[in-house]
Amino acid sequence: MTEKEKGSVLQFAPFQSAVDEGFWHRLSSLKLNKFGIDDSPIPITGFYAPCTNSRVSNHLSLIAESLPPEPSEQSSVATSLGNRNRCSVPGILYNTNTLEGFHSLDKQCLLKAEAKKIWDDIHSGKAEEDSAVLSRFLLISFADLKKWSFHYWFAFPALVLDPPATLVDLKPASQWLSLEEAESLSAACNEWRSSSVTADVPFFLVSIASNSRATIKHLKEWTSCQQDGDKFLFGFYDPCHLPTNPGWPLRNFLALICSRWNLEKVCFFCYRENRGFADLSLSLIGEALISISQGWKDPQQVPNAVGWELNRGKKVSKCISLAQSMDPIRLAVSAADLNLKLMRWRALPSLNLNMLSATKCLLLGAGTLGCQVARMLMAWGVRKITLLDSGKVAMSNPLRQSLYTLEDCLNDGDFKATAAVKSLERIFPAVEAEGVVMGIPMPGHPVPSQEVRNVLEDCRRLQDLIDSHDAIFLLTDTRESRWLPALLCANSNKIAITAALGFDSFLVMRHGAGPIGTVNDLKAEDTINLSAGMGNISLRDGDREQRLGCYFCNDVVAPVDSTANRTLDQQCTVTRPGLAPIASALAVELLVGILHHPHGIYAKAEFANSTDTGSTEQPLGILPHQVRGSLSQFSQMTLVGHSSSSCTACCTTVVSEYRNRGMDFILQAINHPTYLEDLTGLTELMKSANSFELDWDNEVDDDDCIEI
């Protein structure tokens, strides 16, 4: 006891934490994409190494690889084994769903639970097999994914010796050992640290023989080493740089030594380095005396534990904000996808964000509808958008067309297609938008001979655009401008969605599949694009039921010039301002529904509360064919219209004629208004209707009269 009276209480330098930004980015990704609202504890891995600087301690670090890998990823933690600069330490993460939940965690209970794991590992012998478990750690956190701020608190559980250990002596290892012993120990440490088998083993035994030869051994070799009669040092990788204190890992090492091996006098070796090699002038050797209470001999009685990391000397959590340091584009992408990823937590687990982001959308028309549809598509996670329009931004446009400002109207106005793309990129820099300045050739608008070549080139370009996209929105002002896109979509079997406005009414509809659209009819490249981007869409019409109609299927006349001999209010799209956002939103929702429906473009028309939908209702709800609405009545109804065998845009006759004659057919349809009616039989149908006579019965029977 006289030696204890001469000594002082052994004090340890606390562990310090360091978290790389990559850890928080990866945690955010896992939270959004994998964990959701599941707040179960997550196993993580921390890394530390011996001190390498006489002025700075090493930290226990967390990096992106500290978190568990995705099923498709190879674990990088496994590949870090044997890395001398990354000694792995097991930890546990409790990430709460709310800030209130973070603050209300029972921190003392969590700390005691981790301390019990260390205590059990000591008594089971696991700590001698895998000494890294002596440095287990705990992390609690809350990730605010709206503000990109993270609240967190580390704990490094340490079993409290009772009574505390007494420090008898502590000095640099070079002063403790003889010159021969120091040289031999340095060589042994360098060899231990150079081996891929032992480089990251943080606790070890040092045996020094009578001939001054030092040997380093694993903890599990303790029993066999006692027979040698050598003197022993209990070594550990010390992250601390202080010349007066050993580092935090020694605390649980002493707990193992006294409870497992019943030693009362311990010589410990705080191993430290300089430029990657053992530095015995920086390393410390100390002598401590330990006497423990009877309770320590009972494996069921867990000692008290300490270890919550201090923040500037106070027991409070830390908070870090990454909003300022993040790349603005990356921050925009994360924020834009936040709402969609939150949908998958509870409301819509089957939402396929990869499919949406890969879907290529072509918007024909960059006016009131086109602007709204483009923004709605981006809100749903669609990243590939092409806008086609030949017009320029006029002074009357910015108030109704949300992508334009006054600057776009100046100097005769910018082209809508290019101005819209610039606006989309300002709103969301990660969008892959393209503007195409081009008019759409239309029936009823004859082409002068000198313009034929240019018009046919526009037709071919439009065909190429439709073939290279997955979904096409028909958002133009006139009926006849929708004819050629409707035909080309039917020919290529593309998803086509029409939105059309009246003064206070609207129509939103999806076109049915093409009349002869099968997998073999599609180009190989298109098939690859579709299967890659929309893997759940069937390209086979298994039911062979009547196709859904297109925009022109209910017409009995061919499209003609609808702007000729019209007043200004009849030439412009004069609508109630609230109409376009409603129709645009429904058009985009219709596309998302098609993409997520198992039958895709072949899905039958569905109605609310219908028992004949052919399948159970999908997670996004019903998938109607047409939605017609009226603002004057504040009403909306879903309708279905089947394909017509006399349709001027999508019937088998028209599509076959286009495939056989190509651009000659289109040119004839444009220049001769009645050609399409003659081809499809509408001319004969109208003649039959006009010649139909009703045989009226003019005789009156008195019995049929009612006396009033």
Side-chain angles (χ1 to χ4, degrees):
M1 297 297 294
T2 57
E3 287 184 278
K4 278 200 172 185
E5 291 173 0
K6 293 179 183 178
S8 58
V9 174
L10 179 59
Q11 295 183 325
F12 310 87
F15 235 142
Q16 295 176 298
S17 64
V19 187
D20 184 75
E21 285 187 13
F23 176 86
W24 298 121
H25 289 307
R26 181 159 177 77
L27 176 61
S28 303
S29 175
L30 289 170
K31 176 69 174 173
L32 287 171
N33 301 319
K34 183 179 179 182
F35 301 145
I37 58 173
D38 183 3
D39 57 1
S40 303
I42 305 165
I44 58 176
T45 304
F47 303 97
Y48 85 100
C51 174
T52 57
N53 190 301
S54 61
R55 297 183 179 181
V56 181
S57 295
N58 272 347
H59 297 65
L60 183 132
S61 302
L62 296 184
I63 56 178
E65 292 81 1
S66 297
L67 287 157
E70 297 280 4
S72 59
E73 298 175 345
Q74 183 180 359
S75 175
S76 57
V77 174
T79 59
S80 70
L81 296 178
N83 186 333
R84 58 180 291 124
N85 297 315
R86 286 173 55 172
C87 302
S88 53
V89 179
I92 198 78
L93 167 65
Y94 291 86
N95 186 61
T96 63
N97 287 315
T98 64
L99 184 58
E100 292 76 12
F102 171 79
H103 289 305
S104 65
L105 284 173
D106 189 338
K107 299 171 183 60
Q108 192 57 38
C109 181
L110 292 175
L111 181 68
K112 191 165 185 178
E114 293 308 304
K116 184 179 185 305
K117 293 179 184 178
I118 296 173
W119 184 247
D120 292 342
D121 290 340
I122 289 174
H123 283 276
S124 67
K126 181 179 179 180
E128 296 170 38
E129 295 289 336
D130 179 12
S131 60
V133 299
L134 291 174
S135 299
R136 284 183 185 274
F137 69 96
L138 165 69
L139 173 62
I140 61 174
S141 68
F142 165 66
D144 187 339
L145 302 183
K146 285 189 175 181
K147 299 179 180 178
W148 279 93
S149 61
F150 302 86
H151 300 259
Y152 66 100
W153 201 345
F154 276 87
F156 304 100
L159 302 172
V160 178
L161 294 173
D162 185 20
T166 301
L167 179 64
V168 178
D169 195 9
L170 181 68
K171 54 188 174 183
S174 58
Q175 299 178 21
W176 188 287
L177 303 170
S178 67
L179 181 60
E180 293 79 7
E181 290 173 339
E183 290 178 351
S184 180
L185 180 56
S186 291
C189 288
N190 290 333
E191 182 180 354
W192 178 270
R193 290 281 288 155
S194 298
S195 171
S196 61
V197 178
T198 57
D200 60 348
V201 178
F203 298 90
F204 51 90
L205 302 172
V206 178
S207 172
I208 302 179
S210 56
N211 61 359
S212 300
R213 184 174 181 272
T215 307
I216 300 181
K217 300 181 179 181
H218 290 277
L219 298 186
K220 61 184 178 181
E221 300 180 76
W222 164 252
T223 304
S224 62
C225 291
Q226 295 181 77
Q227 303 172 0
D228 298 338
D230 300 339
K231 61 180 180 181
F232 282 93
L233 300 175
F234 295 91
F236 70 100
Y237 294 166
D238 190 356
C240 174
H241 76 285
L242 299 176
T244 55
N245 299 91
W248 199 255
L250 180 59
R251 297 196 67 148
N252 290 332
F253 196 14
L254 292 178
L256 179 146
I257 293 169
C258 67
S259 61
R260 187 72 173 167
W261 298 328
N262 298 318
L263 298 181
E264 295 184 354
K265 184 177 181 179
V266 177
C267 287
F268 56 86
F269 173 42
C270 306
Y271 175 75
R272 302 171 182 177
E273 294 181 338
N274 183 18
R275 297 182 180 179
F277 296 97
D279 186 343
L280 295 192
S281 62
L282 185 60
S283 300
L284 304 176
I285 292 180
E287 183 179 338
L289 300 177
I290 309 172
S291 60
I292 56 173
S293 62
Q294 282 297 117
W296 272 69
K297 300 184 183 299
D298 182 6
Q300 304 301 319
Q301 186 174 341
V302 182
N304 291 329
V306 295
W308 285 105
E309 185 180 22
L310 299 181
N311 181 12
R312 297 177 182 176
K314 298 180 180 179
K315 276 192 173 183
V316 293
S317 61
K318 297 180 180 180
C319 181
I320 182 173
S321 175
L322 301 185
Q324 295 296 325
S325 62
M326 285 185 66
D327 175 66
I329 294 179
R330 183 177 178 183
L331 188 60
V333 172
S334 300
D337 290 341
L338 177 62
N339 183 59
L340 297 173
K341 291 181 178 179
L342 293 180
M343 287 184 188
R344 300 200 306 182
W345 285 16
R346 301 179 199 254
L348 199 59
S350 60
L351 182 63
N352 191 334
L353 297 182
N354 291 333
M355 177 179 63
L356 288 170
S357 65
T359 300
K360 299 177 182 177
C361 292
L362 174 62
L363 279 55
L364 303 180
T368 308
L369 288 168
C371 291
Q372 294 287 350
V373 167
R375 297 198 65 154
M376 292 291 175
L377 286 172
M378 289 201 303
W380 262 112
V382 175
R383 298 291 176 256
K384 298 176 174 63
I385 301 173
T386 302
L387 296 106
L388 183 149
D389 200 299
S390 62
K392 291 186 176 182
V393 184
M395 287 289 185
S396 61
N397 293 153
L399 291 178
R400 296 178 299 112
Q401 301 176 12
S402 58
L403 294 180
Y404 308 127
T405 63
L406 178 62
E407 292 182 0
D408 300 317
C409 309
L410 304 178
N411 301 318
D412 195 33
D414 296 334
F415 283 106
K416 287 186 175 182
T418 54
V421 167
K422 291 178 181 178
S423 180
L424 291 177
E425 291 173 343
R426 284 195 299 269
I427 295 168
F428 184 61
V431 69
E432 298 176 32
E434 180 184 357
V436 178
V437 179
M438 190 187 87
I440 299 176
M442 298 175 281
H445 295 251
V447 180
S449 57
Q450 64 271 22
E451 292 294 328
V452 168
R453 184 175 180 180
N454 293 335
V455 169
L456 292 182
E457 183 59 35
D458 288 343
C459 292
R460 294 187 186 95
R461 190 177 183 190
L462 180 60
Q463 177 179 321
D464 292 340
L465 285 169
I466 288 175
D467 287 343
S468 62
H469 287 76
D470 302 313
I472 291 81
F473 286 85
L474 281 60
L475 310 170
T476 52
D477 288 338
T478 62
R479 176 171 167 267
E480 62 268 25
S481 61
R482 295 184 174 93
W483 174 80
L484 182 55
L487 166 62
L488 297 177
C489 288
N491 175 66
S492 299
N493 208 37
K494 295 287 185 177
I495 296 173
I497 296 175
T498 286
L501 305 178
F503 166 66
D504 59 4
S505 61
F506 66 84
L507 164 68
V508 176
M509 66 177 295
R510 58 184 173 104
H511 293 206
I516 43 182
T518 65
V519 176
N520 293 330
D521 293 320
L522 294 176
K523 293 181 180 178
E525 182 181 353
D526 296 331
T527 306
I528 292 172
N529 290 339
L530 279 170
S531 61
M534 297 175 282
N536 66 335
I537 291 181
S538 170
L539 289 178
R540 185 172 300 164
D541 189 358
D543 298 333
R544 296 296 179 189
E545 295 185 357
Q546 187 176 1
R547 296 184 301 113
L548 295 178
C550 77
Y551 179 69
F552 294 92
C553 278
N554 290 335
D555 292 348
V556 293
V557 293
V560 294
D561 186 352
S562 61
T563 60
N565 197 26
R566 298 295 180 94
T567 59
L568 181 61
D569 65 311
Q570 293 173 323
Q571 294 179 34
C572 298
T573 306
V574 179
T575 66
R576 292 173 61 164
L579 209 61
I582 297 172
S584 302
L586 289 173
V588 175
E589 294 292 330
L590 205 54
L591 171 66
V592 177
I594 296 170
L595 294 178
H596 284 81
H597 197 284
H599 300 300
I601 194 174
Y602 295 103
K604 295 190 297 183
E606 298 172 348
F607 300 90
N609 304 319
S610 172
T611 59
D612 186 29
T613 60
S615 63
T616 57
E617 186 173 308
Q618 300 302 312
L620 282 165
I622 65 168
L623 185 61
H625 177 222
Q626 300 180 22
V627 181
R628 292 180 181 265
S630 170
L631 268 184
S632 62
Q633 301 297 321
F634 282 90
S635 64
Q636 185 173 295
M637 57 183 174
T638 56
L639 303 173
V640 60
H642 291 295
S643 60
S644 167
S645 60
S646 300
C647 176
T648 58
C650 79
C651 72
T652 303
T653 303
V654 171
V655 174
S656 298
E657 192 73 6
Y658 168 68
R659 291 192 177 185
N660 292 331
R661 298 180 55 205
M663 294 302 150
D664 290 339
F665 162 75
I666 292 177
L667 193 61
Q668 188 172 357
I670 291 173
N671 288 330
H672 302 281
T674 62
Y675 169 65
L676 289 173
E677 295 176 2
D678 296 339
L679 177 66
T680 57
L682 287 177
T683 303
E684 293 298 323
L685 179 63
M686 292 300 295
K687 288 180 180 179
S688 300
N690 292 333
S691 63
F692 185 71
E693 295 183 1
L694 293 176
D695 185 14
W696 295 97
D697 185 3
N698 295 320
E699 296 183 4
V700 179
D701 191 340
D702 292 340
D703 294 336
D704 294 331
C705 297
I706 300 176
E707 184 175 348
I708 299 177

